[in-house]
Amino acid sequence: MFLYSLVALMTVCFSQGYTIRSSVSWAVTNDVVDEELDPHSDETPDVLVDNIGIWKQAYPSSVYRDGPDKKTEQGSKSDDLSSASRVFSYRIAELKVPSSTPTPPPHEETARMARYMAHYSDWGYLATISTQEKIKGLPFGNIFSVSDGPLDNSTGIPYFYVTPMDNTVTDIQSFPFASLTFSQAEGDFCRKQVYDPEDPRCARLTLTGKMVEVEPEELDFAREAMFSRHPVMKKWPPEHKWFFMKLVLEQVWLQDWVGGVSLISLDEYFKATPF
């Protein structure tokens, strides 16, 4: 009965031009929707990463290409969806990430562990003092993509690519101090060790300091740091007035084992290496 229902569901979805997706997908042209991929082929489709949802409408591949022919006659709704797909998708070849995250350093090497987490974390949780009317003066947290530099050049300083349209940026303009938290649960380490995210052995790092706009002489590095790790950002709409910020550190707080936390001096932190 379950198998019959699953087949029926797949039949309905495919008949409407939808394809089942995992974390990666590729554009399917109208004339090959019904064509089966050769399971024995060594060729890999030109994949796109997309975070619109579990189901993604199969538009012609031309909507993913730049140029005058990229528009399709799908109507305004289809145009909006395909535009969103282009904004939040990127070719995997553009993404400069390690094939696997290196093994964490020993927990006793606290400064090195802090640098490891700051470098290999792709996103973190930024806490600010809210300026929103209903929660003014209260803590407010938000997720941000971050980078402390290209994969082969760690600085220990988190960089951000932000828009003034974001509530958190409004908070920062009012009170520039913030805390950025990373968790080792972001990757596979804690899952493989069967550590709960709150287990002290599943390390968490909080960097506290002042958020500042990146100066002109540092813009090239900030751009390389962010776009090499988050290439989709290059296509985000310019009318949102994106700009680069960084967190100037004042405190490094780490818990990576049982028995208490570590407050790592800035001197130790910047002398350590994540590699």
Side-chain angles (χ1 to χ4, degrees):
M1 181 64 181
F2 172 77
L3 179 59
Y4 175 79
S5 300
L6 179 61
V7 171
L9 174 62
M10 293 174 66
T11 302
V12 170
C13 293
F14 284 132
S15 68
Q16 295 181 358
Y18 285 77
T19 55
I20 295 179
R21 304 171 57 246
S22 61
S23 58
V24 296
S25 66
W26 53 90
V28 184
T29 59
N30 284 341
D31 55 350
V32 295
V33 167
D34 298 323
E35 181 179 332
E36 294 185 4
L37 295 176
D38 181 0
H40 304 293
S41 173
D42 293 329
E43 296 182 3
T44 304
D46 190 8
V47 292
L48 296 168
V49 175
D50 191 306
N51 30 354
I52 287 180
I54 295 176
W55 296 94
K56 176 176 180 295
Q57 190 160 4
Y59 291 111
S61 58
S62 60
V63 304
Y64 295 96
R65 293 194 290 264
D66 294 328
D69 61 338
K70 66 182 177 182
K71 294 293 184 181
T72 63
E73 297 178 359
Q74 300 267 354
S76 58
K77 184 176 180 180
S78 297
D79 289 342
D80 290 342
L81 285 172
S82 60
S83 296
S85 180
R86 289 194 299 275
V87 169
F88 296 103
S89 303
Y90 56 88
R91 298 187 185 282
I92 283 183
E94 297 180 51
L95 185 60
K96 298 179 180 178
V97 296
S99 55
S100 61
T101 303
T103 303
H107 69 86
E108 299 92 345
E109 299 181 29
T110 54
R112 187 178 166 208
M113 175 65 84
R115 287 294 301 272
Y116 171 90
M117 293 188 66
H119 184 56
Y120 289 108
S121 296
D122 290 322
W123 57 272
Y125 182 88
L126 191 68
T128 55
I129 300 300
S130 180
T131 54
Q132 299 176 58
E133 191 60 36
K134 289 187 177 181
I135 57 170
K136 193 170 185 177
L138 300 180
F140 176 73
N142 204 351
I143 298 296
F144 282 89
S145 297
V146 298
S147 170
D148 82 328
L151 279 175
D152 60 353
N153 186 7
S154 168
T155 65
I157 300 172
Y159 289 86
F160 303 77
Y161 191 51
V162 299
T163 169
M165 299 171 68
D166 194 304
N167 286 126
T168 297
V169 176
T170 304
D171 296 345
I172 291 167
Q173 291 169 342
S174 174
F175 185 75
F177 294 93
S179 288
L180 175 66
T181 297
F182 300 114
S183 171
Q184 212 171 9
E186 176 187 332
D188 292 332
F189 176 79
C190 297
R191 180 181 58 80
K192 289 179 178 179
Q193 300 296 321
V194 199
Y195 292 159
D196 186 87
E198 202 171 332
D199 189 315
R201 297 168 295 177
C202 185
R204 75 287 305 264
L205 171 71
T206 298
L207 304 175
T208 302
K210 185 177 182 180
M211 292 287 290
V212 301
E213 188 170 351
V214 172
E215 296 292 336
E217 60 271 17
E218 201 177 350
L219 278 176
D220 286 344
F221 180 81
R223 187 176 293 106
E224 182 186 7
M226 291 303 299
F227 291 174
S228 64
R229 305 282 291 271
H230 307 279
V232 71
M233 289 179 167
K234 292 182 287 186
K235 297 192 294 183
W236 285 359
E239 59 268 23
H240 288 202
K241 299 180 180 179
W242 301 92
F243 65 100
F244 294 94
M245 298 193 79
K246 68 178 181 179
L247 182 63
V248 179
L249 302 186
E250 295 197 6
Q251 177 178 281
V252 178
W253 180 101
L254 174 75
Q255 182 164 30
D256 67 344
W257 201 250
V258 295
V261 301
S262 300
L263 291 177
I264 302 163
S265 72
L266 295 183
D267 187 54
E268 286 181 282
Y269 176 80
F270 285 116
K271 281 182 179 178
T273 173
F275 305 119

